[in-house]
Amino acid sequence: GQQLNQSPQSMFIQEGEDVSMNCTSSSIFNTWLWYKQDPGEGPVLLIALYKAGELTSNGRLTAQFGITRKDSFLNISASIPSDVGIYFCAGIHSLSGTYKYIFGTGTRLKVLA
Amino acid sequence: NAGVTQTPKFQVLKTGQSMTLQCAQDMNHEYMSWYRQDPGMGLRLIHYSVGAGITDQGEVPNGYNVSRSTTEDFPLRLLSAAPSQTSVYFCASRTSGGSYEQYFGPGTRLTVT
């Protein structure tokens, strides 16, 4: 099935550092969603993006809908230990009136105190 | 609001056994979906429903059945469990309105031996 490419696959960072990750595809999407998943839990929605070029923040998180509609970016500023987890992107496109969600494979973030 | 709830949290089955994974939501969402999550892969859609009495197949439906008799509940049935169905299963829901924000349950970790 179709998947999104997320980069990097994993990263170690020091507490206090800023983090950047992205999601790319060969397909155009109408909506991008970013989720965080803690070990043993379900994905929790962080940010939703609806327009190309849109920049949306949620606390220390900022996400952008790429201008080509084929990519999206998530930044975390001043990381803290509880930012540890897996971050997923999801692209949504419509096809004959139905909406298909395509999920990335995730970026695993580890924060060193 | 409990959101999306799933039971059980963990389950071990022998090959050939059947079981039902329960999912309920209290947000009055019309759309509900079942996904499986496997290592190194994005979430893959098994079955989905756009309302009570209406279900359809997703990307990986073989070996699974669903029904939707009420808006709140969307159980997933494994007809004859196989080791290939070892996975983490997530139920999700969203409104049918203009928002495509999908909310996930905590997951069921299933092992088939």
Side-chain angles (χ1 to χ4, degrees):
Chain A
Q2 188 179 1
Q3 289 189 355
L4 296 173
N5 298 314
Q6 274 193 254
S7 179
Q9 288 188 344
S10 65
M11 56 195 312
F12 283 88
I13 59 166
Q14 294 285 342
E15 183 177 357
E17 286 185 347
D18 296 343
V19 176
S20 292
M21 60 189 77
N22 65 68
C23 206
T24 60
S25 172
S26 57
S27 302
I28 290 174
F29 292 102
N30 305 112
T31 299
W32 286 94
L33 306 176
W34 281 93
Y35 289 88
K36 181 184 180 225
Q37 185 176 20
D38 291 326
E41 302 294 330
V44 174
L45 183 65
L46 299 173
I47 292 178
L49 301 160
Y50 293 99
K51 291 182 183 178
E54 179 183 355
L55 194 69
T56 298
S57 293
N58 178 6
R60 292 179 296 106
L61 278 62
T62 301
Q64 185 165 23
F65 194 141
I67 198 71
T68 66
R69 295 171 60 196
K70 294 182 180 181
D71 52 15
S72 181
F73 310 90
L74 178 68
N75 294 312
I76 304 173
S77 62
S79 57
I80 59 178
S82 62
D83 289 334
V84 164
I86 302 176
Y87 291 81
F88 291 100
C89 60
I92 305 166
H93 61 79
S94 61
L95 191 66
S96 303
T98 62
Y99 294 90
K100 188 171 184 182
Y101 290 69
I102 308 298
F103 290 87
T105 53
T107 291
R108 185 181 296 273
L109 180 65
K110 300 182 183 180
V111 180
L112 305 173
Chain B
N1 253 4
V4 181
T5 57
Q6 291 183 239
T7 56
K9 183 77 171 171
F10 301 95
Q11 182 70 50
V12 178
L13 292 178
K14 293 189 188 311
T15 297
Q17 287 185 319
S18 62
M19 79 158 295
T20 299
L21 279 62
Q22 301 293 342
C23 173
Q25 53 91 11
D26 61 1
M27 297 176 282
N28 204 31
H29 285 170
E30 294 85 355
Y31 288 15
M32 296 185 75
S33 302
W34 276 102
Y35 292 88
R36 59 178 290 170
Q37 185 178 49
D38 299 297
M41 305 188 75
L43 291 161
R44 291 185 293 167
L45 182 64
I46 303 171
H47 285 284
Y48 67 97
S49 168
V50 300
I54 307 170
T55 64
D56 206 346
Q57 296 182 351
E59 183 184 352
V60 287
N62 292 340
Y64 307 95
N65 256 359
V66 291
S67 60
R68 182 105 179 265
S69 55
T70 67
T71 299
E72 294 78 20
D73 300 298
F74 190 42
L76 178 72
R77 278 180 284 278
L78 278 69
L79 310 172
S80 177
S84 61
Q85 294 179 304
T86 294
S87 187
V88 183
Y89 291 85
F90 290 102
C91 179
S93 75
R94 70 174 181 93
T95 181
S96 63
S99 164
Y100 307 117
E101 297 167 18
Q102 193 161 213
Y103 297 90
F104 286 85
T108 294
R109 184 174 294 274
L110 176 68
T111 302
V112 182
T113 61

